[in-house]
Amino acid sequence: MSGLALKGPYWVTVRQHRRALWTVGAVVLLSLVCVGGLGLWDSRVVGTDQDDGHTLLRWGMELFSLGVIYLPLLVGAFVAGPMVARELESGTYKLALTQSVTPGRWLASKLVTAGAVTVATTLALMAVYALGLTRVAGDYRFTWDERGTYEATGTVLVAYGLLAVAVGALVGQLVRRTVVAMAATGVVVGVVLLVLSVLRWDFIEVRTITGPVGPSLLVPDAGMYVDSGLIRTTGQRLPGWYCPEPLDENGVCRPDVDIAAQYVDYHPASHFWPTQFIETGIVLALAALALLAAFRVLSRRHPS
């Protein structure tokens, strides 16, 4: 067992931030108790008129979804501020460097510790989220493509956590001011989250169904609606319901209108994992670049 014990700068890092680690453990345990308890309540009132358990579970899961989205921002802010920038700002990192610890090893110990805790915590929270999702899956705001559910049921959340660690290390060294570094890291990670959430559904080409002009086409089961409209006889797409008034007696386009069919673009549920893997790869590549930049900055300011 002694070989498994933390040593050197790793032990110091854990010792320095033990309160934060205890807080993380308490948050995971509290989320498990709340989600598990509400799920048990909901399961006991199935088939009755009392839906308070389900309502509270949905409300709790909506908060959980929001927390999942902001988790990487919190990770990045903590790494940038208390773990890196605060030691540089106060000068306490110099003590570690006098103990036969190189600058690279000093930073690596912090990032390995932060990365391990981030991955473990993220996986634990994803497991708790999956437990609650078994009771609300398919409900409004809990389909596979919704924000929060998408992140918490795939691989991207772990990748964003590692990106936050790397960005926090880089920004913490560049800024060297605790509060400013935390804010700047939150902004950087938040921008990446926002941009990729907008672009993710363009990674894979949508599928299209067409049909005669009439009642609106329905997206196949579990599909994600993207766009719809009409198609002219020339093949040109007209987004939206372009058919001019007045309609015929059946409420559809008149025969003299140049409209041949209608279409619906959508992503099937089978696009979930390919999209997850593509986004995960992009995020991990950004994390690797940020990590490389962090060690470059360190080596230039503190050559071994």
Side-chain angles (χ1 to χ4, degrees), residues 48-256:
T48 72
D49 294 332
Q50 300 176 1
D51 62 350
D52 291 347
H54 191 75
T55 300
L56 286 176
L57 179 60
R58 277 185 49 84
W59 178 76
M61 288 294 290
E62 287 180 4
L63 291 179
F64 204 160
S65 298
L66 188 63
V68 162
I69 295 173
Y70 286 111
L71 180 61
L73 278 67
L74 297 176
V75 170
F78 185 81
V79 172
M83 292 196 75
V84 176
R86 185 169 66 188
E87 290 200 13
L88 296 174
E89 183 178 17
S90 63
T92 55
Y93 74 98
K94 297 178 182 178
L95 178 62
L97 300 185
T98 63
Q99 307 300 314
S100 300
V101 175
T102 63
R105 190 181 175 197
W106 168 79
L107 181 60
S109 65
K110 293 184 176 299
L111 299 188
V112 169
T113 302
V117 172
T118 297
V119 171
T121 302
T122 301
L123 292 176
L125 290 175
M126 289 172 62
V128 175
Y129 191 92
L131 177 64
L133 193 62
T134 58
R135 305 298 309 175
V136 298
D139 286 7
Y140 173 67
R141 291 184 58 83
F142 294 103
T143 54
W144 62 271
D145 57 300
E146 286 287 345
R147 293 296 307 275
T149 300
Y150 171 85
E151 285 82 2
T153 55
T155 57
V156 296
L157 189 60
V158 174
Y160 278 116
L162 295 176
L163 172 67
V165 172
V167 171
L170 175 60
V171 174
Q173 290 186 87
L174 293 175
V175 177
R176 301 169 71 93
R177 295 292 182 271
T178 304
V179 177
V180 179
M182 294 174 68
T185 300
V187 170
V188 172
V189 176
V191 168
V192 175
L193 278 164
L194 179 61
V195 170
L196 288 181
S197 70
V198 173
L199 298 178
R200 66 172 54 125
W201 301 119
D202 294 326
F203 295 155
I204 300 178
E205 187 176 357
V206 297
R207 292 186 183 177
T208 302
I209 56 174
T210 60
V213 179
S216 298
L217 294 174
L218 298 179
V219 176
D221 290 343
M224 171 190 166
Y225 170 85
V226 176
D227 191 19
S228 63
L230 302 176
I231 304 175
R232 284 180 169 172
T233 54
T234 59
Q236 178 188 6
R237 283 190 170 197
L238 301 173
W241 193 260
Y242 187 78
C243 194
E245 299 286 350
L247 305 178
D248 68 7
E249 64 276 7
N250 296 318
V252 299
C253 290
R254 303 186 311 275
D256 60 310

Side-chain angles (χ1 to χ4, degrees), residues 163 166-167 192 196 281-291:
L163 172 67
V167 171
V192 175
L196 288 181
I282 294 173
V283 175
L284 290 179
L286 293 176
L289 290 175
L291 190 62

